[in-house]
Amino acid sequence: MRPCASRTAVASMTAETTFEPDQVVRALNDAGVEYVVVGGLAVAAHGVVRATRDLDLVPAGSEANMDRLARCLVAVGAEHPIQDQLTGTSLARPASFKVTTRYGEVQVLNRVRGVPPFEQLQRDQITVEIAPGVIAPVCSLPHLRAMKRAADRPRDHVDLAELDVLHGTG
């Protein structure tokens, strides 16, 4: 693992909602949740500065971890537009599950096509200090590139081009 220091800009999403990923990461860490950050914050951790509105994460799939994740998200005010109660069982379904917390949106990617399983991401993760004393496990550059290629959205093409400028083609 190589350490990487980064401070993610905190931007206001709306007049009522802010995005404070460091607060979510702190809560996840304090709750003992096993996870790896992917998506926009991972792109930033690898040097590409761009706006993002959510924290994308891949959790360990064990029942105990999913229960810790659900309790943690509820503790930070998670609300889901469809479900009344957030549980480890609901989070364990193979899906992309987005919730809104008092610190912004959190996207839980659980067995989603194009996203490596937690065990692979964890094996190759780096650690990033996203705020003083707040360390996040972040996916490796090769995994990030693979996920961006699989997603194949216009912003992923831009991210890949910028990652290539910073790190060489990969």
Side-chain angles (χ1 to χ4, degrees):
M1 268 190 231
R2 70 176 171 84
C4 175
S6 173
R7 174 71 176 141
T8 301
V10 177
S12 177
M13 290 178 359
T14 68
E16 299 170 8
T17 307
T18 59
F19 182 47
E20 300 177 67
D22 56 317
Q23 296 300 322
V24 177
V25 168
R26 183 185 315 274
L28 291 165
N29 293 346
D30 289 349
V33 176
E34 292 181 90
Y35 67 98
V36 176
V37 173
V38 298
L41 286 178
V43 171
H46 289 285
V48 176
V49 178
R50 73 162 172 87
T52 186
R53 297 182 310 238
D54 63 1
L55 172 66
D56 301 307
L57 61 90
V58 176
S62 72
E63 184 177 338
N65 192 63
M66 295 307 256
D67 286 342
R68 283 190 300 272
L69 176 58
R71 284 191 302 273
C72 176
L73 291 174
V74 168
V76 295
E79 295 177 7
H80 188 272
I82 298 171
Q83 290 193 262
D84 291 333
Q85 186 174 6
L86 193 59
T87 65
T89 301
S90 64
L91 289 174
R93 294 185 185 116
S96 173
F97 198 97
K98 186 175 275 193
V99 296
T100 302
T101 74
R102 70 177 143 268
Y103 302 118
E105 294 180 335
V106 176
Q107 180 94 21
V108 178
L109 303 171
N110 190 30
R111 296 180 310 225
V112 175
R113 185 176 174 190
V115 177
F118 169 79
E119 293 75 18
Q120 285 180 17
L121 294 171
Q122 181 189 43
R123 181 186 64 231
D124 300 325
Q125 75 186 21
I126 64 169
T127 56
V128 177
E129 185 173 32
I130 63 169
V134 182
I135 306 297
V138 175
C139 70
S140 69
L141 184 58
H143 283 303
L144 179 62
R145 283 178 161 152
M147 286 183 277
K148 291 290 179 183
R149 287 185 190 108
D152 199 32
R153 300 167 298 187
R155 77 170 164 234
D156 297 311
H157 294 258
V158 171
D159 290 342
L160 284 165
E162 291 190 25
L163 288 166
D164 286 349
V165 167
L166 287 172
H167 301 283
T169 57

